[in-house]
Amino acid sequence: MNLAAKLRIFFVTLQPIMENQYVSPILALQQQRLLLQMEYQAEKEAFRKQTEEMGLQRKVKRGDAWYPLKMGRSYYNSLNQLVVELFRQGDEEIEHNFEFGKPVVFFRIDGENQIHYFNFTATVSYVDGDRMVIAVPDNGQLIDVQSAENVGVQLFFDETSYKTMFDALDRVIKAKGRLGYLRDLFYSHQQAETFSFAPIHFPYLNATQENAVNKVLRAKDVAIVHGPPGTGKTTTLVEAIYETLRRENQVLVCAQSNMAVDWISEKLVDRGINVLRIGNPTRVNDKMLSFTYERRFEAHPDYEMLWAIRKAIRELRAQRKHRNDKYHQKLERLKERATELEVRINAQLFSEARVIACTLVGSANRLLEGQKFGTLFIDEAAQALEAACWIPIRRVSRVILAGDHCQLPPPVKSFAALKAGLGKTLMERIVENKPEVVTLLKMQYRMNEEIMRFSSDWFYGNQVESAPEVKYRSILDLDIPMTWIDTSQFELPEDSDISFKETFVGESFGRINKAEAELTLLALEQYFEKIGKARILDERLDVGVISPYRAQVQYLRRLVKSKEFFKPYRHLISVNTVDGFQGQERDIILISLVRANDEGQIGFLRDLRRMNVAITRARMKLIILGDASTMTRHPFYRKLYEYIEALD
């Protein structure tokens, strides 16, 4: 029986229960597993087609491959893995998708430009810009790659993450004890338990932030910090972790992405908290590296001895002759001593750390095997699949989730799985079932009042307010904080090569609107001229240029790079997708919506959470470019357009 048939039978079984508005936790999680299986199959099939049908240049432009490569040195890292350095040669402006833990495969190009893959997979150990370190299974396979010509590397299908999520769901479905209790609690309207004590006052927090920290401290089972844009969610979460560590020796802090883990880790380190980061930081700097497991491991006094023993083991294994009983005894003694030292180093590193930080999937790391924690903090919980959240939950007694389910959702590639509910996060589920455990942060410190107001009205029931110090912040006197440049108002000659209509460029890159991209940078240039070069550079006014589509982003990046006017300002301008700007802010934001067609089709821009992120990145000035006649057929964009027009 195929997956689709299983799913149909499952939903038939589920229907009577759903009509009574109750779904048993076990049944609901079984549904999650089936939906995750659909997503797995869809992604695997998409990868197969991509590998078989997509040309090399397209893979490079997508950021999924590096070619050509320069091979660097090979060595054994602190984890005793054989690794090799790789350097990207060209296409540096393309934002690649390689990151720690992702599987990769090497390939070579023959004289007829045909791709030949090596028959092993490797793993990304470290990435910094155009340098990457790859862990390979053994020396023989590495020699094969090093001896080949015209070698490249591409991302491989990530089986490991899916296996880890499936395993987590299976454990939760079968769970007894505390994990079983949390499962049943999260899927019901049962009251979550709390401690009882007088509220603690924090003079440096506002009222809702203070309430959130107190609710976290009182929670025996679960608490949620709901942080709209600019409301200081990270500040609140750091304070909650700091206060929790007054009561507990150690906590586990996770997030969906490495970037989110890095951000919260850096803030914790700034508070003087000893953080042990499991995994490779994406925000690569000395401060970040200093609290990684690898760097701490290498700095331990016993590491030099361990490295010498490991070297002796490798040299002994390289001997082809004299493999007698004496040889095996010596090898076993060395291995036992190496294991003893490794266990001792790990025990010390973990005992000294107050916070263990990693991604959700990274919490399945062998280094954490057998580790238990009182509290788990999940940051950006609204961006994580439910299955991923259950991976670290099995190690803890209580769960604190922080995020905003009105911003970016978790990425789901299978439309059928998304429609059936795979995109519903654990945070959303608990918010629905237990509103009493949720604290909404209501004071924002980022945006001009008029930029913030629309988002507050539409997404947060008009509950978010602006702090007095940002309420009227602006760059120019009498400036209008929000502007919509309507590309449908531009009348072009019929024989003109220029068109403000969108062009479809492929499933992975989406759509492009070159005329709108040119106009976007023209609008930025004109605004810069109003401000003045000296002021922009002196005050380091930063700019974000956002588009929902990767093709438009790459075209905008090329334009910024090619236009002489922007040369002095390039270090102040970032161009990225909406997803790439999550959690960030800029003084000036420009949004190129791209969609412009006679049918009023806006595709995934119907997901309003994505637009909520886009329009709330600006501190002082927001400029939206888009075809109003296309966009305003949707009620959200019509309301937004009318709101902006009324500001004029």
Side-chain angles (χ1 to χ4, degrees):
M1 189 182 295
N2 63 28
L3 184 62
K6 285 181 182 176
L7 202 61
R8 279 195 296 273
I9 293 169
F10 185 84
F11 281 128
V12 168
T13 309
L14 192 64
Q15 191 63 37
I17 302 171
M18 291 177 69
E19 287 173 358
N20 291 323
Q21 297 185 326
Y22 175 75
V23 179
S24 82
I26 303 295
L27 201 57
L29 285 161
Q30 287 172 341
Q31 179 194 3
Q32 282 285 311
R33 200 186 192 289
L34 281 169
L35 295 177
L36 188 65
Q37 186 74 33
M38 288 173 66
E39 175 73 356
Y40 166 76
Q41 296 292 354
E43 193 168 349
K44 193 173 182 179
E45 179 62 18
F47 180 82
R48 186 191 64 77
K49 285 183 178 178
Q50 174 192 320
T51 301
E52 292 177 359
E53 301 171 9
M54 191 178 291
L56 176 59
Q57 284 308 310
R58 193 155 180 82
K59 290 176 187 176
V60 170
K61 286 183 178 177
R62 278 171 51 94
D64 294 338
W66 283 9
Y67 182 82
L69 280 182
K70 179 185 174 185
M71 305 283 288
R73 67 190 180 104
S74 59
Y75 58 95
Y76 284 87
N77 65 12
S78 59
L79 301 179
N80 205 31
Q81 299 169 317
L82 178 61
V83 298
V84 60
E85 282 184 312
L86 307 177
F87 298 90
R88 178 164 59 167
Q89 304 291 100
D91 302 298
E92 292 88 354
E93 77 281 358
I94 295 173
E95 188 174 343
H96 63 76
N97 299 315
F98 294 90
E99 61 178 53
F100 169 81
K102 285 196 173 184
V104 296
V105 62
F106 287 97
F107 61 85
R108 64 178 181 84
I109 307 295
D110 66 18
E112 298 177 351
N113 279 333
Q114 295 297 307
I115 296 181
H116 300 274
Y117 293 97
F118 290 85
N119 62 351
F120 68 93
T121 57
T123 308
V124 178
S125 176
Y126 180 84
V127 187
D128 181 9
D130 298 319
R131 174 180 174 265
M132 181 160 54
V133 179
I134 301 291
V136 295
D138 63 56
N139 197 51
Q141 293 164 329
L142 177 58
I143 290 170
D144 290 343
V145 175
Q146 289 173 324
S147 60
E149 295 182 346
N150 302 321
V151 172
V153 66
Q154 74 169 61
L155 288 170
F156 198 64
F157 180 64
D158 188 3
E159 294 265 4
T160 306
S161 293
Y162 278 104
K163 285 179 180 176
T164 306
M165 286 191 285
F166 285 131
D167 179 64
L169 288 175
D170 291 339
R171 285 173 183 263
V172 178
I173 289 168
K174 298 173 185 174
K176 308 292 183 185
R178 186 64 182 172
L179 183 58
Y181 169 79
L182 291 175
R183 173 199 66 208
D184 295 344
L185 180 72
F186 295 168
Y187 273 85
S188 71
H189 294 286
Q190 178 187 334
Q191 192 84 16
E193 293 188 16
T194 58
F195 297 104
S196 181
F197 55 79
I200 302 170
H201 178 55
F202 302 97
Y204 35 85
L205 299 179
N206 66 45
T208 54
Q209 291 172 333
E210 185 176 281
N211 184 37
V213 174
N214 276 292
K215 193 166 276 188
V216 166
L217 297 177
R218 288 197 191 100
K220 278 188 182 180
D221 302 320
V222 64
I224 289 178
V225 179
H226 182 188
T231 54
K233 172 180 66 66
T234 302
T235 300
T236 307
L237 194 59
V238 166
E239 192 59 45
I241 294 168
Y242 188 85
E243 287 297 319
T244 300
L245 289 171
R246 292 178 182 269
R247 297 155 176 79
E248 300 175 21
N249 185 55
Q250 193 176 68
V251 298
L252 180 62
V253 176
C254 295
Q256 173 66 19
S257 68
N258 276 298
M259 189 172 289
V261 177
D262 293 344
W263 182 251
I264 188 75
S265 296
E266 193 168 350
K267 297 301 177 186
L268 290 166
V269 170
D270 288 342
R271 285 295 299 270
I273 297 170
N274 188 334
V275 175
L276 186 62
R277 172 73 161 93
I278 309 297
N280 173 220
T282 54
R283 297 161 57 85
V284 180
N285 57 51
D286 287 341
K287 185 169 82 170
M288 295 295 295
L289 286 171
S290 67
F291 57 83
T292 60
Y293 170 82
E294 288 81 358
R295 190 62 64 90
R296 294 271 181 88
F297 194 92
E298 290 170 354
H300 193 277
D302 290 340
Y303 176 71
E304 198 171 322
M305 186 186 298
L306 176 62
W307 186 88
I309 294 171
R310 286 172 170 175
K311 185 181 179 185
I313 291 171
R314 289 194 294 272
E315 289 172 349
L316 200 60
R317 282 173 168 165
Q319 295 178 12
R320 301 293 179 188
K321 300 176 181 178
H322 314 299
R323 292 197 173 187
N324 51 25
D325 287 347
K326 192 174 179 181
Y327 163 89
H328 290 295
Q329 287 170 8
K330 186 177 180 180
L331 185 62
E332 284 305 309
R333 282 198 305 272
L334 287 170
K335 285 165 68 177
E336 284 174 12
R337 181 58 176 152
T339 301
E340 181 188 319
L341 283 171
E342 191 173 338
V343 168
R344 190 162 79 197
I345 295 171
N346 281 339
Q348 190 170 340
L349 293 182
F350 276 91
S351 66
E352 290 173 352
R354 302 298 309 280
V355 170
I356 308 299
C358 58
T359 62
L360 294 166
V361 173
S363 68
N365 193 300
R366 64 173 182 82
L367 292 169
L368 293 175
E369 203 57 49
Q371 296 280 346
K372 294 289 184 184
F373 305 87
T375 305
L376 163 67
F377 291 87
I378 302 180
D379 195 14
E380 303 295 358
Q383 293 180 54
L385 290 174
E386 178 174 345
C389 290
W390 285 112
I391 301 168
I393 291 176
R394 66 187 174 95
R395 302 190 185 279
V396 303
S397 297
R398 68 181 195 132
V399 184
I400 311 301
L401 301 105
D404 182 10
H405 48 284
C406 300
Q407 295 189 62
L408 286 178
V412 177
K413 292 183 173 62
S414 166
F415 180 73
L418 181 65
K419 195 175 177 182
L422 185 62
K424 186 169 185 175
T425 64
L426 184 62
M427 179 173 167
E428 285 180 275
R429 192 177 304 285
I430 298 170
V431 168
E432 286 180 7
N433 290 338
K434 295 182 183 13
E436 71 277 4
V437 307
V438 182
T439 306
L440 176 69
L441 305 181
K442 297 180 180 181
M443 184 68 72
Q444 71 87 19
Y445 299 88
R446 176 186 298 164
M447 294 161 275
N448 176 290
E449 166 79 10
E450 290 180 337
I451 297 175
M452 179 276 298
R453 181 53 49 204
F454 182 83
S455 173
S456 176
D457 289 349
W458 188 278
F459 294 100
Y460 306 104
N462 197 26
Q463 293 187 76
V464 181
E465 300 175 4
S466 299
E469 60 265 35
V470 304
K471 194 168 186 176
Y472 303 110
R473 68 189 321 180
S474 64
I475 297 173
L476 299 170
D477 293 338
L478 304 175
D479 197 10
I480 300 167
M482 298 175 77
T483 307
W484 186 311
I485 299 174
D486 180 10
T487 59
S488 68
Q489 299 301 308
F490 288 84
E491 295 183 7
L492 299 170
E494 290 185 7
D495 58 348
S496 173
D497 293 334
I498 302 169
S499 171
F500 281 99
K501 296 295 183 185
E502 66 189 70
T503 305
F504 181 69
V505 293
E507 194 173 326
S508 359
F509 281 82
R511 297 168 193 273
I512 194 168
N513 191 325
K514 291 185 177 182
E516 186 176 288
E518 296 274 2
L519 186 62
T520 300
L521 293 190
L522 178 61
L524 179 59
E525 184 178 331
Q526 290 174 346
Y527 195 65
F528 270 13
E529 286 174 341
K530 285 183 182 178
I531 302 168
K533 181 178 179 180
R535 188 178 166 206
I536 294 167
L537 296 177
D538 289 349
E539 297 181 19
R540 297 184 61 82
L541 297 174
D542 51 4
V543 179
V545 184
I546 301 176
S547 181
Y549 296 98
R550 292 181 68 179
Q552 189 80 342
V553 166
Q554 290 197 9
Y555 187 68
L556 282 161
R557 282 176 180 164
R558 289 199 295 272
L559 287 179
V560 171
K561 197 172 180 179
S562 65
K563 289 184 179 292
E564 189 67 24
F565 176 86
F566 292 111
K567 191 174 181 179
Y569 313 115
R570 283 175 195 155
H571 63 292
L572 297 170
I573 301 172
S574 308
V575 185
N576 216 327
T577 59
V578 182
D579 301 57
F581 268 102
Q582 172 80 348
Q584 300 186 46
E585 57 188 75
R586 298 289 188 274
D587 294 316
I588 305 161
I589 289 286
L590 295 94
I591 305 172
S592 171
L593 295 174
V594 175
R595 301 308 299 259
N597 54 73
D598 296 330
E599 297 77 33
Q601 297 295 321
I602 62 171
F604 78 124
L605 294 187
R606 288 192 301 269
D607 188 340
L608 305 182
R609 293 171 295 183
R610 181 165 268 101
M611 283 312 300
N612 186 32
V613 173
I615 65 176
T616 55
R617 299 307 94 191
R619 300 187 191 104
M620 293 181 279
K621 181 70 175 181
L622 174 64
I623 302 171
I624 298 173
L625 295 97
D627 185 310
S629 64
T630 300
M631 300 303 302
T632 56
R633 298 190 197 186
H634 190 286
F636 171 85
Y637 294 97
R638 182 167 63 251
K639 194 79 174 176
L640 177 60
Y641 182 77
E642 291 169 352
Y643 174 82
I644 294 172
E645 287 292 289
L647 297 176
D648 195 348

